[in-house]
Amino acid sequence: MEFITTNFAPIMFVGLIMFLLLGFPVAFSLGACGLFFGFVGIELDVFPSSVMAWLPQRLIGIMANDTLLAVPFFTLMGLVLERSGMAEDLLETVGQVFGPMRGGLALAVVFVGALLAATTGVVAASVISMGLISLPIMLRYGYDRRLTSGVIAASGTLAQIIPPSLVLIIMADQLGRSVGDMYKGAFLPGFMLMGLYVAYVLVLAIFKPERVPALPPEARAFREADGSSGYTSLAVLTALSATVSIFLAHNMEAVHSWWLGTEVSAVATDEKVVVAMCGGVFLALVIALVNRATKLGLLSRLAERVTFVLIPPLLLIFLVLGTIFLGVATPTEGGAMGAMGALIMGWLRKRLDLKLLKQALASTTKLASFVMFILIGATVFSLVFQAADGPKWVEHLMADLPGGQVGFLILVNVMIFFLAFFLDYFELSFIVVPLLAPVAEKLGIDLIWFGVLLAVNMQTSFMHPPFGFALFFLRSVAPEKPYVDRVTKKVMDPVTTMQIYKGAIPFLIIQLTMVGILIAFPQLVTGSLDKKVEVNMESISDQMRDSLSTEDGKEDADPGYGADEEPDSAAPAPQAESAEDDPLKAMQEALKADKKK
């Protein structure tokens, strides 16, 4: 018994692993393990029975957590956009833009994956949408099956790290940090990861062009009456929009001063980026609307199509992320605005009926319930684990690793990488992150950086052969048997499971490379955060002492009327009464006494 009571926390952790290996659902494994070891710990006098009395308050705290409200809002926004046909329009349009170059369709999948990630935040929706739409097209025009599978699965997982990612919301809640700061920290790494995907496709286009052929001329849908492609018009519109954005960014102080009517000397960088891009995008939309209304023919069919397809989701991104970054809205309020904007977009496209809305609401309810049950189970487990001094055990286990911060980060990321074979990001966030966060903070690691680093690592859980969820999602929509292509009428070979697994490996290596880059360069995350205001309480105390002493000295130097009279030593009571009635006087006298000592 002494061995059990001495090693209660590690035994409890091993017990949880046994529960999970037996195949029980994670939420119920956490809850059952917590309750079982809670009653055992009380019987063995490891901790008092009052520990279990704290549980109702913890559960009520979960229900009252405003941050977690963002999860159903962003989920609903993503599902509504996915069901309103936005992904189909984006893939078709961006595919036409990049199609004439080698690897263009793969690049289109990466860019659309990033756009869907910034609007949906749901990996399953992104992978399934792009698998259904782009997979047949890429196979039709001779793309390598392994590359096709890998780029679709990897681009879908960008929803894991690019805001408004659901895992970043959960991570911020578990780390006790702001969701807005977590979004700011993840913004640059997310798009850097997208850039690495693009670089890989471009390398293949240069050295192995047969794996990524260009779109043939007969497949290019948006042609002008004279047979031209319309790229000139698109380039001019893009250049004009970019020029306006750059001009606004460089003159943002003057714009703010004009708008507010007062002099503004400095504007935050993130505010400059959001407002400037909104201005450039809005100008392009106005030009396209005027061109369509007046039929002036200023824009080509391709330029007009790109404008009307790309700008609505971009404006939605600015509405959601822009208001969060600028501090105008909380993440929960931003998610609510995004969900409402998605409903309006679906209604304007005339693709959202009552049936699709019910499906989106049902899926949102299922996911939100799934998250809530896991969080309740994790709370029960963590309550008992903390009562058994589990965090101290983890701290002693992790804090003395060789290599300091770097050694700790390497070990943690290796552990997360292997745990991701068996657990998804929700489970890792609720089980592992609360145990590691106190150790990271004690080692002086910025928790926003730590959270983004773990989020990038957890992204690999979707790409692990043979357990990756993104691979399962793609397998569910990829052809398993030979089929007849609806355009070319040719018999096409199926996509095998091994081709999907092999295609995922290069992108898995890219994701791990991004983890290494973030460990080596933490400023990629921390550089975009607001600078912390350091408050030195000792300095403030010294200033108060000096100020009070100066005031006291002035009173002593200028005693006023009757200063030459002798004080009445027999009547000190009025002075004591005055000090007691006047707190400032009492503080001055206390400081005098302290100085004399």
Side-chain angles (χ1 to χ4, degrees):
M1 287 299 176
E2 184 179 352
F3 174 79
I4 295 176
T5 55
T6 306
N7 299 279
F8 195 81
I11 291 173
M12 185 178 176
F13 191 74
V14 172
L16 173 63
I17 295 174
M18 295 302 297
F19 268 101
L20 294 175
L21 291 178
L22 288 173
F24 288 104
V26 174
F28 301 114
S29 296
L30 286 165
C33 185
L35 291 175
F36 173 75
F37 281 96
F39 290 122
V40 171
I42 291 171
E43 290 296 324
L44 296 178
D45 203 25
V46 177
F47 41 76
S49 59
S50 60
V51 168
M52 302 307 291
W54 304 336
L55 185 58
Q57 193 65 32
R58 287 283 190 96
L59 298 182
I60 291 172
I62 294 173
M63 304 302 175
N65 191 335
D66 291 339
T67 302
L68 295 177
L69 273 176
V71 173
F73 283 137
F74 282 122
T75 304
L76 179 62
M77 180 181 78
L79 293 173
V80 168
L81 290 174
E82 185 258 331
R83 283 165 170 75
S84 65
M86 185 190 72
E88 182 177 353
D89 291 344
L90 282 171
L91 280 168
E92 180 185 357
T93 304
V94 179
Q96 289 292 324
V97 173
F98 291 103
M101 64 181 291
R102 288 173 182 164
L105 290 179
L107 293 177
V109 168
V110 174
F111 285 120
V112 172
L115 276 173
L116 291 177
T119 50
T120 65
V122 182
V123 174
S126 299
V127 174
I128 291 173
S129 298
M130 291 192 295
L132 287 171
I133 300 163
S134 62
L135 184 62
I137 298 174
M138 296 174 78
L139 297 180
R140 180 183 304 150
Y141 296 114
Y143 270 70
D144 181 81
R145 279 170 161 71
R146 290 170 297 175
L147 172 68
T148 299
S149 304
V151 76
I152 292 174
S155 300
T157 62
L158 288 172
Q160 176 87 353
I161 187 63
I162 294 179
S165 162
L166 298 183
V167 70
L168 293 177
I169 298 174
I170 303 297
M171 195 75 70
D173 179 69
Q174 294 300 301
L175 293 173
R177 292 296 184 267
S178 162
V179 177
D181 285 343
M182 195 68 73
Y183 280 178
K184 288 181 181 179
F187 196 79
L188 182 58
F191 284 99
M192 281 184 65
L193 186 60
M194 182 197 76
L196 292 177
Y197 292 168
V198 169
Y200 175 66
V201 173
L202 292 176
V203 168
L204 285 180
I206 295 171
F207 295 102
K208 295 196 174 180
E210 69 280 0
R211 297 181 62 185
V212 285
L215 202 63
E218 62 271 15
R220 300 170 194 173
F222 300 105
R223 291 278 184 178
E224 299 302 297
D226 58 359
S228 61
S229 62
Y231 279 95
T232 303
S233 175
L234 177 61
V236 171
L237 182 64
T238 303
L240 181 61
S241 179
T243 302
V244 170
S245 297
I246 294 171
F247 176 79
L248 286 175
H250 281 291
N251 297 275
M252 193 59 63
E253 290 81 4
V255 172
H256 274 61
S257 300
W258 170 78
W259 180 261
L260 298 174
T262 58
E263 185 68 25
V264 176
S265 58
V267 179
T269 303
D270 52 1
E271 186 172 351
K272 285 183 179 181
V273 172
V274 171
V275 176
M277 292 186 70
C278 279
V281 168
F282 184 72
L283 175 66
L285 180 62
V286 169
I287 292 174
L289 289 172
V290 170
N291 180 70
R292 174 171 286 188
T294 58
K295 298 181 180 180
L296 293 175
L298 298 174
L299 300 178
S300 63
R301 289 183 59 203
L302 181 64
E304 190 173 284
R305 171 77 177 183
V306 168
T307 303
F308 286 120
V309 169
L310 282 182
I311 286 181
L314 285 175
L315 289 177
L316 188 63
I317 292 169
F318 294 145
L319 173 67
V320 176
L321 297 182
T323 53
I324 294 173
F325 287 172
L326 298 179
V328 177
T330 65
T332 302
E333 293 166 347
M337 288 191 295
M340 181 57 67
L343 290 171
I344 293 172
M345 284 177 57
W347 177 73
L348 291 176
R349 290 169 178 265
K350 298 181 180 179
R351 295 182 180 179
L352 187 65
D353 55 18
L354 188 59
K355 179 181 178 182
L356 292 179
L357 181 58
K358 285 182 177 179
Q359 291 177 358
L361 290 172
S363 299
T364 301
T365 304
K366 288 178 182 177
L367 182 62
S369 302
F370 169 74
V371 172
M372 192 60 64
F373 271 101
I374 291 183
L375 183 53
I376 289 173
T379 301
V380 175
F381 178 83
S382 66
L383 176 65
V384 179
F385 194 70
Q386 288 174 6
D389 288 334
K392 289 185 179 178
W393 169 66
V394 176
E395 184 177 325
H396 290 313
L397 197 65
M398 296 284 188
D400 297 330
L401 293 171
Q405 286 187 1
V406 176
F408 170 76
L409 291 173
I410 291 174
L411 178 67
V412 165
N413 279 282
V414 171
M415 181 178 69
I416 291 290
F417 177 76
F418 284 105
L419 285 175
F421 275 90
F422 312 102
L423 302 174
D424 71 4
Y425 62 94
F426 279 129
E427 295 153 0
L428 289 170
S429 299
F430 288 131
I431 299 172
V432 180
V433 172
L435 302 179
L436 299 176
V439 184
E441 190 167 25
K442 187 172 182 180
L443 289 173
I445 297 172
D446 185 276
L447 289 187
I448 297 293
W449 171 41
F450 188 64
V452 173
L453 184 63
L454 293 187
V456 175
N457 197 336
M458 288 180 194
Q459 193 178 13
T460 62
S461 68
F462 288 92
M463 297 293 290
H464 281 308
F467 304 110
F469 287 100
L471 309 183
F472 291 156
F473 298 146
L474 185 60
R475 175 70 279 172
S476 68
V477 297
E480 298 183 31
K481 299 177 181 178
Y483 67 98
V484 178
D485 185 75
R486 63 182 181 85
V487 175
T488 62
K489 306 302 180 184
K490 294 180 180 179
V491 178
M492 306 294 293
D493 293 330
V495 177
T496 66
T497 302
M498 191 53 64
Q499 287 172 339
I500 294 176
Y501 288 167
K502 288 182 178 179
I505 291 174
F507 293 94
L508 184 62
I509 294 172
I510 291 174
Q511 291 173 347
L512 293 176
T513 302
M514 190 66 211
V515 172
I517 291 173
L518 288 181
I519 292 176
F521 303 101
Q523 61 269 24
L524 294 174
V525 175
T526 58
S528 58
L529 302 178
D530 296 332
K531 302 300 181 184
K532 292 183 179 179
V533 179
E534 298 292 340
V535 179
N536 190 335
M537 297 304 296
E538 293 184 2
S539 175
I540 293 175
S541 177
D542 292 340
Q543 290 178 9
M544 290 179 64
R545 286 173 182 267
D546 294 341
S547 176
L548 292 171
S549 298
T550 303
E551 292 179 6
D552 187 51
K554 287 181 179 178
E555 291 178 4
D556 292 342
D558 185 18
Y561 178 75
D564 54 345
E565 298 180 2
E566 292 292 330
D568 187 0
S569 59
Q575 184 180 358
E577 183 179 354
S578 174
E580 188 175 344
D581 292 341
D582 187 359
L584 182 59
K585 194 73 175 176
M587 187 182 296
Q588 290 175 348
E589 292 183 359
L591 288 173
K592 280 183 185 178
D594 189 33
K595 286 182 178 179
K596 289 178 180 178
K597 289 179 182 179

